[in-house]
Amino acid sequence: MTAILNTLKLTAARKTRALPDVVKRRNKLLIKLGEQRMLAAAQAQGQHYTPTRFRSFADADTGARVVKQVPVRIKPWFWTGEKGECLLAINYGSKQIELQKGKTAIDVGAVENICAVLDTVIDAVRNGELDTQIESASVKLRDGFKK
């Protein structure tokens, strides 16, 4: 039996109990960016993208809890500007992330470039380039809940 275990690479690592807050916030933003990417790709093909979520409702007749799959509306983070250019803002919760001092939107140019720009932003978030901006947006969001 020990001969089989000797073929494996053993280590003294321990499993961490919780992810750091930075990683949690980064993953939350990556999920939302992925949804925006799917929305942009669907619109480029002339289709509608409506993801679904499971929601729990009380049945009117019996009063029992029923789980139903319902469509969820996703608000696009991209729009057409005054000059006809396509603009993209990155949101964390209900707050726009300030990418540089005083700049909250990305000039995409043509509508066809949205998916490529979103892929670039996703890569930047994965590399941790927006961690300080995500942290400041998170602080602003939390301050809104304080009395």
Side-chain angles (χ1 to χ4, degrees), residues 4-12:
I4 296 173
L5 282 178
N6 288 337
T7 61
L8 301 176
K9 181 180 177 182
L10 303 177
T11 182

Side-chain angles (χ1 to χ4, degrees), residues 90 96-104 130 133 136 140:
I90 309 300
Q96 284 188 353
I97 292 179
E98 190 175 41
L99 301 169
Q100 285 182 350
K101 185 73 174 169
K103 297 181 181 178
T104 58
L130 295 176
Q133 289 92 338
S136 65
K140 287 180 188 175

Side-chain angles (χ1 to χ4, degrees), residues 56-68:
S56 177
F57 297 102
D59 190 359
D61 298 332
T62 63
R65 300 299 288 174
V66 178
V67 177
K68 292 183 181 178

Side-chain angles (χ1 to χ4, degrees), residues 3-132:
I4 296 173
L5 282 178
N6 288 337
T7 61
L8 301 176
K9 181 180 177 182
L10 303 177
T11 182
R14 300 185 80 202
K15 183 178 178 181
T16 57
R17 293 186 182 250
L19 291 174
D21 289 338
V22 174
V23 177
K24 287 180 187 176
R25 291 185 188 111
R26 194 182 301 160
N27 289 339
K28 178 182 172 183
L29 182 59
L30 284 171
I31 290 169
K32 296 299 181 181
L33 283 168
E35 287 179 349
Q36 291 295 317
R37 172 73 168 83
M38 296 289 286
L39 179 65
Q43 285 185 358
Q45 296 173 356
Q47 300 174 351
H48 293 285
Y49 173 68
T50 53
T52 57
R53 303 277 192 268
F54 288 102
R55 296 284 186 235
S56 177
F57 297 102
D59 190 359
D61 298 332
T62 63
R65 300 299 288 174
V66 178
V67 177
K68 292 183 181 178
Q69 194 171 10
V70 296
V72 178
R73 181 178 59 123
I74 296 180
K75 295 178 185 178
W77 292 353
F78 46 90
W79 69 95
T80 304
E82 297 172 352
K83 300 173 188 171
E85 77 279 15
C86 184
L87 300 169
L88 169 70
I90 309 300
N91 295 337
Y92 185 82
S94 61
K95 303 292 182 193
Q96 284 188 353
I97 292 179
E98 190 175 41
L99 301 169
Q100 285 182 350
K101 185 73 174 169
K103 297 181 181 178
T104 58
I106 300 169
D107 187 354
V108 176
V111 177
E112 297 83 24
N113 300 336
I114 293 176
C115 291
V117 170
L118 280 169
D119 289 336
T120 305
V121 172
I122 288 170
D123 290 339
V125 171
R126 280 194 184 122
N127 290 336
E129 295 178 26
L130 295 176
D131 285 346
T132 56

